[in-house]
Amino acid sequence: MTEEQVHAQTILIVDDTPGNVSLLKAVLTADFTIRTATCGSEALLSVQETPPDLILLDIMMPDMDGYEVCRRLKENPYTRDIPVIFLSILESTEIKVEAFKAGGVDYITKPFHVGEVRARVRAHLKIRGLQLELEEQNTLLETANAELTRLAMIVDSSTDAIFTVSADSIITSWNGGAEDIFGYSAREIIGEPILTIMPAELPHERSHIWQMILSGEHLQYFETTRIRKDRKKIYVSITTSPLLNSDGEIIGNSVISRDVTERRNMEETIKHQARYDALTNLPNRQFLLELLTMGLAHARRGQKKLAVLFLDLNGFKQVNDTLGHNCGDRLLQDVALRLKSAVRETDTVARLGGDEFTVLIPDLNRAEDVGIILGKILGVFDTPFMLNSTAVTSATSIGISIFPDDGEFCDELIKNADLAMYEAKKTGRNSYRFFNAGFSAIDVGEHMAGADKGE
């Protein structure tokens, strides 16, 4: 995407606080076209008139909260695909879950980190762009394949691979499109077995396709893998049907094969970006909840325990303020790498956002078994982090909740680990606390108030 195309993208900022609007405009104006609205009704009218490419939406507004605005946008076919990033001073899990239920794609906590806002906006605009490209390519693919199935004869000039295979699995014709896709000339491949372009790990696919042909079935848009002459594996979409002689007997099958490798790779990219944090490449909150759900099901079946560790970096704001957000980002990346190296292959390290990380530790026989891994995680912070030739000492506070002792469900375990982390913060750097149901209501209230202030 060119610089002009990026700047042509429009972002609608919906916030009733002038200071927030001014800050976001200052951060984004250089790269995007900015529109603003100060309330929900004004935002809905603006979007209906000219849809933006992305919406930054405050939750608490006077006439209509951000949840309702987002729900109305998602109910309208004209606006439902516009990505919405929620903005709020609130940090509780329940608030964020409600935002995602309403249809939001992300959640940014006030006060804003400039680098985070810019990175998240760019990431979601890129994802939306890839989705639009994918939809366009899918439409083109479906239209082209539907047209090809209606053709009465094979057109050699087609850019698709069009070839025929005999009853004994020998390639008997091969068009120019097949030469381009598979790399073999007609002279090289005609007379060779169809297995020449089939991966060794699919030994029974040809016999399966042939049985379908013999039964009179048509295989349409079947996606599989094939091997080019240069031994590169590609994804193809195959449509095949019986090839008949003048007596109506099946003597082979005709094949239309289209290279869909680029689309498949794009799909994998979109899936990855939807599940992983763009900065650290760790699982994000959405993927973490999926993994935790599966882990809990496994723990129930095996009558095992599972630990949820909630980590918060001590002094991260000071690194951002003194060394800059680039160094802050580098610190988060380095912490992510060290945490991954400290845990077992079966454990999961995820980033929830900001300076918060979560570690899932499955297959525990006793709650005490988490101690060894805790020691390794705390050891991660023994060695200073080098940020722009500056040695920076960091530390963490860790809260631990255990399934099923401290909760049966995802939100409950994460919330309790978060509360335990808050208790650990009171005891100093590089400390941890296991959740205790006796944490007082005052402690919980103080923690929620601190979260609102971004502490």
Side-chain angles (χ1 to χ4, degrees), residues 379-405:
V380 159
F381 298 91
D382 290 344
T383 305
F385 295 84
M386 296 303 298
L387 306 176
N388 285 354
S389 302
T390 301
V392 175
T393 300
S394 185
T396 186
S397 299
I398 306 175
I400 306 107
S401 62
I402 303 292
F403 167 84
D405 310 50

Side-chain angles (χ1 to χ4, degrees), residues 289-304 306 363 403 408-410 413:
L289 291 175
E290 294 177 20
L291 294 171
L292 180 53
T293 299
M294 291 187 291
L296 291 176
H298 179 76
R300 290 186 184 99
R301 288 194 300 269
Q303 296 185 335
K304 296 278 189 175
L306 178 147
D363 295 323
F403 167 84
E408 292 278 346
F409 304 102
C410 297
L413 288 165

Side-chain angles (χ1 to χ4, degrees), residues 242-260:
L243 189 64
L244 309 177
N245 63 14
S246 57
D247 296 325
E249 298 170 335
I250 298 176
I251 59 171
N253 62 296
S254 62
V255 181
I256 302 173
S257 181
R258 171 165 290 193
D259 186 349
V260 295

Side-chain angles (χ1 to χ4, degrees), residues 166-167 206-214 250-253:
S166 67
R206 171 59 188 171
S207 60
H208 173 69
I209 292 174
W210 184 241
Q211 290 303 314
M212 293 183 66
I213 295 296
L214 290 177
I250 298 176
I251 59 171
N253 62 296

Side-chain angles (χ1 to χ4, degrees), residues 118-283:
R118 188 181 291 112
R120 288 177 183 266
V121 166
R122 284 186 175 275
H124 286 291
L125 284 173
K126 184 176 181 181
I127 290 172
R128 180 58 186 151
L130 290 172
Q131 289 172 333
L132 291 173
E133 289 179 25
L134 180 59
E135 290 171 4
E136 181 180 357
Q137 287 206 4
N138 278 337
T139 300
L140 291 173
L141 177 63
E142 293 168 2
T143 302
N145 280 338
E147 182 64 21
L148 284 172
T149 59
R150 292 192 294 268
L151 291 177
M153 54 191 306
I154 296 174
V155 181
D156 188 60
S157 60
S158 171
T159 57
D160 289 333
I162 302 175
F163 56 93
T164 56
V165 184
S166 67
D168 54 355
S169 299
I170 300 298
I171 296 171
T172 55
S173 69
W174 191 259
N175 79 331
E179 292 184 355
D180 293 337
I181 290 175
F182 295 103
Y184 290 98
S185 67
R187 179 177 298 179
E188 290 174 311
I189 201 68
I190 290 177
E192 296 296 325
I194 187 63
L195 294 178
T196 303
I197 61 171
M198 297 183 69
E201 63 267 24
L202 300 175
H204 304 299
E205 187 177 288
R206 171 59 188 171
S207 60
H208 173 69
I209 292 174
W210 184 241
Q211 290 303 314
M212 293 183 66
I213 295 296
L214 290 177
S215 64
E217 295 185 54
H218 292 249
L219 187 64
Q220 293 186 316
Y221 315 132
F222 170 63
E223 295 198 2
T224 184
T225 55
R226 290 291 181 262
I227 303 297
R228 287 173 42 89
K229 182 180 178 180
D230 59 11
R231 309 316 298 165
K232 179 182 176 182
K233 183 181 291 187
I234 60 173
Y235 289 97
V236 293
S237 174
I238 290 175
T239 295
T240 184
S241 56
L243 189 64
L244 309 177
N245 63 14
S246 57
D247 296 325
E249 298 170 335
I250 298 176
I251 59 171
N253 62 296
S254 62
V255 181
I256 302 173
S257 181
R258 171 165 290 193
D259 186 349
V260 295
T261 304
E262 184 177 348
R263 176 174 65 78
R264 286 290 292 264
N265 289 341
M266 190 181 299
E267 288 175 346
E268 291 302 315
T269 298
I270 292 173
K271 289 179 183 177
H272 185 86
Q273 291 177 338
R275 287 181 151 197
Y276 288 85
D277 173 57
L279 179 65
T280 62
N281 204 35
L282 293 177

